[in-house]
Amino acid sequence: MPTDGVKTVFAAVALASAALASAAPVAWTDWTSAGATVEGTLALDSGPVSVTYAGSTFFTQLGSGTDYFSPTTPYVSAEVSNAPTAAEMIAINDVGSRTITFSQPVLNPYIAFVSVGQIGSGVTYTFDSPITKISEGIGYWGGGSAVFGPNSFTGSEWHGVVRIDGLVSSITLTTNNPETWHGFTVGANPVPEPASMAVLGLGLAALKRRRRNR
């Protein structure tokens, strides 16, 4: 059972998430190199944050090629005001776990997906953190649907955005079914609202005080 201190931190993250939940530009990853890992950068207000993807790929777009994030309908919402950067995407087609790592913790990062699963043959994504569906719609390959759980979703030709809830240093995501291919990219709010970060700081401070007083 969570302690009062842990509950305080959870509450602080929830309040920070709520404060950020208004339409704002998102900094989407600029993927710059693809080899044994795929490397990119998030341009945040606090400075550049390196993003590393470790896992298998089918192909990687580094700023050239087809814009699979068009039309933008699945990616723009009351929370996210801009679609991912054209032709900046990692595509996969197999089963397994993969990890996205940030050089410093990121609050409530987003993952935008293109064409997860096929009609009649869905693909399930399972995450190591809670997720929230932010938007969905008819994308480059048409329209489909997804069924969501607390930390997973099953997509059938699904295009949309999910938010990873909390302050995270890495995201592990696992797929259960192969398909021709689907793709994704990662983003974050470049300028977290000061009030949001202040609330989160209060929660962490309360937890530290509780530990000192034991």
Side-chain angles (χ1 to χ4, degrees):
M1 181 176 294
T3 65
D4 289 343
V6 173
K7 288 178 181 177
T8 301
V9 174
F10 285 167
V13 171
L15 285 171
S17 300
L20 286 170
S22 58
V26 164
W28 295 103
T29 300
D30 175 19
W31 297 107
T32 54
S33 66
T37 60
V38 183
E39 306 290 335
T41 303
L42 281 172
L44 303 188
D45 184 60
S46 57
V49 173
S50 298
V51 185
T52 300
Y53 167 86
S56 61
T57 62
F58 182 56
F59 66 85
T60 305
Q61 290 185 311
L62 303 179
S64 62
T66 302
D67 180 12
Y68 293 109
F69 293 112
S70 176
T72 62
T73 306
Y75 311 108
V76 177
S77 65
E79 183 168 335
V80 176
S81 66
N82 58 311
T85 307
E88 293 275 0
M89 187 181 72
I90 295 169
I92 65 172
N93 65 348
D94 61 355
V95 174
S97 294
R98 50 214 87 221
T99 303
I100 299 166
T101 304
F102 305 102
S103 60
Q104 65 186 57
V106 175
L107 181 63
N108 299 331
Y110 299 98
I111 304 181
F113 288 95
V114 171
S115 186
V116 177
Q118 300 172 354
I119 301 299
S121 180
V123 168
T124 298
Y125 264 89
T126 303
F127 302 81
D128 62 344
S129 299
I131 63 170
T132 299
K133 180 179 74 174
I134 300 302
S135 59
E136 61 186 356
I138 297 174
Y140 187 89
W141 298 109
S145 62
V147 177
F148 277 75
N151 69 331
S152 66
F153 74 88
T154 300
S156 300
E157 201 59 70
W158 186 76
H159 301 71
V161 175
V162 301
R163 186 182 68 221
I164 311 301
D165 296 327
L167 188 66
V168 298
S169 297
S170 66
I171 305 165
T172 298
L173 46 160
T174 304
T175 54
N176 76 327
N177 200 20
E179 66 162 327
T180 305
W181 68 266
H182 63 266
F184 59 85
T185 192
V186 184
N189 288 103
V191 188
E193 295 180 7
S196 303
M197 298 310 296
V199 170
L200 182 59
L202 287 173
L204 294 172
L207 180 57
K208 290 178 180 177
R209 285 197 301 271
R210 182 176 177 82
R211 286 176 176 169
R212 285 200 303 267
N213 293 334
R214 285 179 175 176

